[in-house]
Amino acid sequence: MAAGDFFVKGESVVDALAEKGINATLINPRFVSGVDTELLNSLRQNHKVVVVLEDGSKEGGFGGRIAQAVGATGMKCLTYGLEKKFVDRYNPEELEKAYRLTVPQIVEDTLNALK
């Protein structure tokens, strides 16, 4: 699931996973203020991991709500976003690496979660 500006990053992650032989499903959530439990329940049949990319803070964010919803289902959930803190001056590439938000890092984490 890739929300907001991270949908494009989600497309890149799906493409990179395909190169590794993983057929991933990319979902652009209709809303991020709640959880589409019907959708999550349908994913249980043929998905082992849910990866949530959001362009906001992880703390109290969409990814946390998804992780809570899938926690009891047996699916793993990886959430990606920013930490809830002020960063004054930064290099965007360095910040992405620090938060494991690069496509190679997300792919590596996903492959590890599938083991």
Side-chain angles (χ1 to χ4, degrees):
M1 301 183 124
D5 291 338
F6 276 16
F7 187 78
V8 173
K9 185 181 292 281
E11 291 175 318
S12 297
V13 169
V14 167
D15 291 343
L17 286 169
E19 291 175 11
K20 305 280 186 186
I22 304 297
N23 182 20
T25 302
L26 179 60
I27 297 168
N28 188 351
R30 293 178 277 161
F31 53 87
V32 296
S33 59
V35 175
D36 186 344
T37 54
E38 185 177 326
L39 171 65
L40 291 174
N41 285 333
S42 72
L43 293 175
R44 288 186 1 206
Q45 296 173 8
N46 55 7
H47 293 78
K48 296 177 183 176
V49 178
V50 175
V51 177
V52 183
L53 309 175
E54 62 182 306
D55 60 356
S57 174
K58 284 186 354 176
E59 184 180 324
F62 179 63
R65 288 190 291 279
I66 297 297
Q68 184 178 15
V70 301
T73 68
M75 283 191 296
K76 296 177 184 175
C77 186
L78 304 176
T79 60
Y80 295 88
L82 301 175
E83 289 184 19
K84 195 172 196 172
K85 68 179 186 179
F86 178 75
V87 180
D88 187 15
R89 295 182 184 118
Y90 62 91
N91 175 315
E93 291 173 0
E94 289 177 11
L95 192 65
E96 277 193 332
K97 284 182 183 176
Y99 292 144
R100 295 198 59 78
L101 289 170
T102 68
V103 170
Q105 290 171 319
I106 296 167
V107 168
E108 177 184 5
D109 294 347
T110 303
L111 293 173
N112 286 332
L114 287 168
K115 292 181 181 178

